Amino acid sequence: MNGMHLFLSAALGWMWVSQAPAISVTDIRGKMHQPLAIRAGTLASVLIFVTTECPIANAYAPEINRIIARYKPKGINFYLVNVDAKVSTRDAAKHAKDYGYTSPVLIDRKHQLVRASGARITPEAAIFQGPNLRYLGRIDDQYFGLGRRRARVTQRDLRKALDAIVAHRKPEPARTEAIGCFIPKLQ
């Protein structure tokens, strides 16, 4: 390693990117994506884990769409990740249409992205810079228990984390506890 490389590594410590095997997942249109790959002009990729049947994840669709509209122009890529290995492509596509999702909807049949992020709940969001996980957790604090919803959101955790990424800072906190439906185990 040369001196400049060491300097940049130390100066950008939290942004240091290691080479990891690429994860390829197919979307509902049959297109292959590598959501953790580093792309020029992209600050980060956000994976939002959903299923067609989770009422809490479905209730978040309007907020997810607002977040995508706000941060996509700032260099953030978004992927909805359907984690139900048994969902048909047709049902996942209908779900995406019904809830107005415009970003790619991936079907993580082998739970490759679930394992890479450590996600356990839908909806749960993971922010990656290349293969490096920067944030994992809730979208906001609207739900504070199953079936228990606040009248007004007080913490917008995913937006706060994305604001940090856009400002080239480390998101704090890096983890929050999501409330929703458990990601179904592979059988």
Side-chain angles (χ1 to χ4, degrees):
M1 241 187 240
N2 64 35
M4 178 57 90
H5 193 249
L6 284 172
F7 170 76
L8 289 174
S9 296
L12 301 175
W14 75 272
M15 291 179 65
W16 182 250
V17 177
S18 62
Q19 294 300 319
I23 295 175
S24 297
V25 182
T26 305
D27 72 13
I28 57 176
R29 292 181 173 81
K31 182 179 176 186
M32 191 66 73
H33 294 265
Q34 291 183 332
L36 307 186
I38 300 166
R39 290 182 174 61
T42 300
L43 292 173
S45 292
V46 177
L47 309 177
I48 301 175
F49 297 92
V50 299
T51 62
T52 59
E53 301 298 321
C54 181
I56 294 175
N58 290 339
Y60 268 104
E63 176 62 5
I64 291 168
N65 289 328
R66 286 188 293 269
I67 289 169
I68 292 169
R70 178 174 178 162
Y71 291 95
K72 188 172 182 174
K74 296 179 181 188
I76 308 294
N77 287 334
F78 288 88
Y79 301 90
L80 275 292
V81 181
N82 192 308
V83 295
D84 183 352
K86 295 179 182 178
V87 71
S88 71
T89 302
R90 183 174 152 201
D91 287 346
K94 181 180 180 328
H95 179 259
K97 182 179 179 188
D98 290 349
Y99 287 93
Y101 292 129
T102 57
S103 63
V105 178
L106 311 177
I107 301 179
D108 192 12
R109 295 194 192 284
K110 296 178 184 175
H111 283 187
Q112 296 175 88
L113 297 170
V114 169
R115 281 191 303 280
S117 65
R120 298 177 304 115
I121 300 290
T122 66
E124 191 164 23
I127 302 174
F128 281 89
Q129 288 185 304
N132 299 308
L133 180 64
R134 300 297 181 211
Y135 172 81
L136 177 64
R138 65 189 184 185
I139 294 168
D140 60 34
D141 69 348
Q142 181 174 15
Y143 288 87
F144 59 95
L146 288 178
R148 300 182 71 194
R149 186 175 180 169
R150 285 184 171 79
R152 199 173 64 100
V153 171
T154 62
Q155 298 289 320
R156 298 188 181 277
D157 305 280
L158 179 56
R159 287 177 184 250
K160 181 180 172 186
L162 288 169
D163 286 340
I165 294 289
V166 168
H168 303 286
R169 295 188 327 264
K170 187 176 181 180
E172 292 294 335
R175 295 194 187 252
T176 58
E177 193 65 35
I179 303 291
C181 305
F182 285 105
I183 291 176
K185 300 278 186 211
L186 291 179
Q187 298 181 0

